Amino acid sequence: MPARFHEQDTRSGLKNRRKLSAFLDATVRTHLRQVKDVQLTYVFCTDDFLLSMNQQYLDHDTLTDIITFDLSPAKDALEGEIYISVERVRENAAKFGVTYANELHRVIFHGMLHLCGYKDKRAADQKIMRSKEDECLNNYQKEIA
């Protein structure tokens, strides 16, 4: 099933949703060859909504741009919910000097990569994660060009 995109009290401005959904599905299957079923749900929300989830489910009292939940029922199926704060993405895009669309896609890919097993707590893992995000961004840009 293709990725689904929902907006919770905010607008993401996400374009090319069908192409992005197909790209996410294909990318997951490249990283996790044993997966037969891929179900990703992206929820675009406000800082307040995501902070509430961060406090409730992760016991963190901080703003964040993304929270990813792996709900996979079996080894051959990948199911996840990815919550993204549109406000954090906008702020980070300005902070890093990139377009909002670029930062939004980076965060979308970041959540998918977490579900594929990539980590980002240690410096070495962060470097790998950033490299994989860049690879996804470049490949997706070619896809929609």
Side-chain angles (χ1 to χ4, degrees), residues 28 52 62 82 85:
V28 166
S52 172
T62 56
I82 299 107
S85 167

Side-chain angles (χ1 to χ4, degrees), residues 10-144:
T10 192
R11 297 230 183 254
S12 67
L14 184 65
K15 307 234 185 298
N16 298 315
R17 291 177 184 218
R18 283 194 177 131
K19 284 186 179 181
L20 179 58
S21 179
F23 178 82
L24 289 163
D25 186 76
T27 303
V28 166
R29 291 172 193 280
T30 333
H31 290 279
L32 302 173
R33 297 198 187 280
Q34 79 279 11
V35 170
K36 294 180 181 140
D37 186 32
V38 178
Q39 293 182 34
L40 303 178
T41 302
Y42 286 86
V43 180
F44 301 103
C45 56
T46 63
D47 275 346
D48 287 342
F49 184 88
L50 200 54
L51 176 60
S52 172
M53 291 196 71
N54 211 5
Q55 292 166 332
Q56 182 178 354
Y57 295 105
L58 303 176
D59 204 25
H60 297 161
D61 194 20
T62 56
L63 293 175
T64 186
D65 55 355
I66 185 170
I67 297 176
T68 304
F69 295 101
D70 188 339
L71 307 173
S72 301
K75 288 187 186 276
D76 66 345
L78 181 69
E79 184 176 338
E81 288 182 357
I82 299 107
Y83 293 82
I84 297 173
S85 167
V86 171
E87 292 169 286
R88 282 299 97 219
V89 170
R90 282 191 201 290
E91 201 168 288
N92 287 340
K95 179 178 165 183
F96 301 134
V98 297
T99 66
Y100 167 76
N102 180 278
E103 186 64 13
L104 182 61
H105 285 94
R106 179 178 298 283
V107 173
I108 287 169
F109 298 141
H110 183 89
M112 177 266 306
L113 290 165
H114 267 307
L115 291 170
C116 288
Y118 292 93
K119 309 287 185 216
D120 62 359
K121 294 292 183 213
R122 298 177 316 141
D125 293 336
Q126 289 171 5
K127 188 175 180 178
I128 293 168
M129 176 68 87
R130 182 48 58 115
S131 170
K132 293 297 180 185
E133 290 169 4
D134 289 342
E135 182 181 308
C136 286
L137 282 167
N138 290 333
N139 289 341
Y140 183 65
Q141 288 303 317
K142 290 176 193 170
E143 190 91 11
I144 62 170

